[in-house]
Amino acid sequence: DEHRAGCMPSLIINTFYNRAMAACLYEFIAVLKRNNLYDDTVIYFCGEFSRKPQNAGTGSDHSAEANCNTLFSGAIAGKGHVIGNIKASGGGRNGTWGYHGTNPQFVLLNLGHFVSTLSQILGLPSQVTAVPSLVRLENGKFVPKLPTGTIVD
């Protein structure tokens, strides 16, 4: 956690880190595509805003409210899809992701939805049966069941 680091050092460090990770992912995906392996690959990338999975040995205290999960795969149709809305004006907790987020189709999105989604893409039975996958198979590719995220006020 970066509560005591200040916003500018955190911004600079996170910018360099994210640029490096993006460059590595871009190159890795390019190599997979060049070798015709991307359609059979799933890259799972996740984090919780600079926290380790077991912060101070107690686990995460933010759960889905601060968790970011990303999948890259040639099995997913389209260029990219954001699930969840970002509130432009700051403050409050409305949107479609996290503990306080709601969505008309899924009521409350949580990490179980992500587990079900990842399991479906990998062709495995989901260990989470209480919530559905966020994708459906259509013409040999997985397509999102939810509309892409937007900036809301």
Side-chain angles (χ1 to χ4, degrees):
D1 224 332
E2 300 169 353
H3 290 289
R4 292 171 190 83
C7 65
M8 287 313 292
S10 293
L11 176 66
I12 292 167
I13 291 167
N14 285 320
T15 298
F16 281 114
Y17 171 79
N18 289 323
R19 286 183 69 182
M21 290 306 299
C24 291
L25 282 167
Y26 180 80
E27 179 65 23
F28 183 50
I29 290 170
V31 169
L32 291 169
K33 286 180 177 179
R34 218 173 17 251
N35 291 289
N36 297 316
L37 297 170
Y38 189 56
D39 285 353
D40 298 322
T41 302
V42 176
I43 302 167
Y44 173 48
F45 198 73
C46 68
E48 185 188 330
F49 71 91
S50 303
R51 286 193 170 191
K52 296 176 183 171
Q54 291 190 353
N55 183 40
T58 60
S60 167
D61 62 349
H62 291 99
S63 187
E65 290 185 68
N67 196 292
C68 176
N69 292 280
T70 307
L71 289 177
F72 299 91
S73 178
I76 302 172
K79 298 254 182 218
H81 191 80
V82 175
I83 296 174
N85 294 329
I86 301 168
K87 187 173 181 189
S89 59
R93 295 176 182 240
N94 63 347
T96 56
W97 176 253
Y99 184 72
H100 296 280
T102 58
N103 180 283
Q105 185 177 358
F106 291 95
V107 184
L108 176 66
L109 294 178
N110 59 53
L111 295 177
H113 290 94
F114 196 80
V115 170
S116 293
T117 301
L118 184 58
S119 297
Q120 183 179 6
I121 292 170
L122 292 173
L124 301 170
S126 178
Q127 298 300 308
V128 178
T129 57
V131 294
S133 168
L134 299 174
V135 296
R136 68 181 175 279
L137 191 59
E138 197 172 281
N139 299 321
K141 291 278 189 177
F142 290 99
V143 295
K145 294 179 181 177
L146 296 171
T148 192
T150 58
I151 296 176
V152 296
D153 236 349

